[in-house]
Amino acid sequence: MRHTLDSVAQHPTNGYAERLLVPWWLWLIGLGGAAFAAAELYLGAPGPATWVPYLVLLPLAAFGLWWIGRIRVAVRDGELWVDDAHLPVRYVAEVGVLDAAGRRAALGPRADPLAFVVQRPWVPGAVLVILDDPADPTPYWVISARHPEKLARAIRAAKATEGASRSGAASSGLTSEARREDGASERRDASGRG
């Protein structure tokens, strides 16, 4: 069954891409709530002013629903992208698919406050990406995904490809320190730190 709002693309050469769109039922609730609020604002008011709350609240609700569903998750060109944050896969130590209990633990009171989290409650699956970068204080990423197994597989495949290309670079005479400095200069910290 294909959902009309579910935009998932899989390209064997380009990795994985998914947009965490808001489901149709949340659109109904959001727009219905905005319409109800608009009706309450000018309940019984005569004239053209009756339509002003509808003209303001319905577009605002639609924009808000679009805004929270704009997040894109992708694996391409050796990097994991979550919205505008990206992580080169060479810094990935482990990747795991979280079930409901694992997701609660990763997002609960014992979660690391430095973790990078993109969680959407309407998306049932999640992926845990543990980092191996001494220069970054972020210990792991938790990412919502409609197809967490496919996302984890794409990250592992990109890491394997990156490992093969890095071993080729090592044989070409590039030192590990030079590769580290090159990687650090191109890496952008997703959480806004350092």
Side-chain angles (χ1 to χ4, degrees):
M1 181 168 125
R2 177 149 173 91
H3 300 283
T4 57
L5 295 177
D6 187 12
S7 170
V8 176
Q10 282 245 251
H11 306 288
T13 57
N14 295 339
Y16 175 88
E18 173 180 17
R19 188 165 171 202
L20 303 178
L21 294 170
V22 176
W24 65 269
W25 55 266
L26 197 53
W27 280 91
L28 288 178
I29 292 170
L31 294 176
F36 181 74
E40 288 293 319
L41 282 176
Y42 277 95
L43 187 62
T50 304
W51 294 103
V52 172
Y54 292 98
L55 294 175
V56 173
L57 292 178
L58 288 175
L60 280 176
F63 177 76
L65 289 166
W66 170 82
W67 181 257
I68 62 174
R70 79 190 189 294
I71 301 293
R72 292 181 190 273
V73 177
V75 178
R76 65 176 186 268
D77 303 325
E79 293 185 331
L80 169 62
W81 287 82
V82 180
D83 199 20
D84 59 350
H86 62 99
L87 173 71
V89 294
R90 68 177 161 266
Y91 297 116
V92 173
E94 291 181 49
V95 179
V97 175
L98 296 177
D99 59 2
R103 185 173 176 166
R104 271 192 305 275
L107 300 174
R110 293 189 177 163
D112 193 313
L114 296 176
F116 176 73
V117 177
V118 174
Q119 190 266 342
R120 295 295 183 257
W122 59 84
V123 179
V127 172
L128 175 69
V129 179
I130 299 174
L131 305 185
D132 182 22
D133 183 10
D136 188 355
T138 306
Y140 56 88
W141 286 21
V142 178
I143 306 155
S144 288
R146 282 192 174 87
H147 307 283
E149 296 85 9
K150 291 179 182 178
L151 176 58
R153 214 173 16 249
I155 294 169
R156 289 183 193 115
K159 184 163 175 65
T161 303
E162 176 75 23
S165 66
R166 285 184 61 112
S167 65
S171 65
S172 68
L174 190 62
T175 66
S176 62
E177 184 63 31
R179 284 193 307 272
R180 182 79 169 151
E181 288 174 10
D182 179 50
S185 67
E186 70 185 34
R187 179 140 189 244
R188 179 173 38 167
D189 184 14
S191 59
R193 294 179 300 274

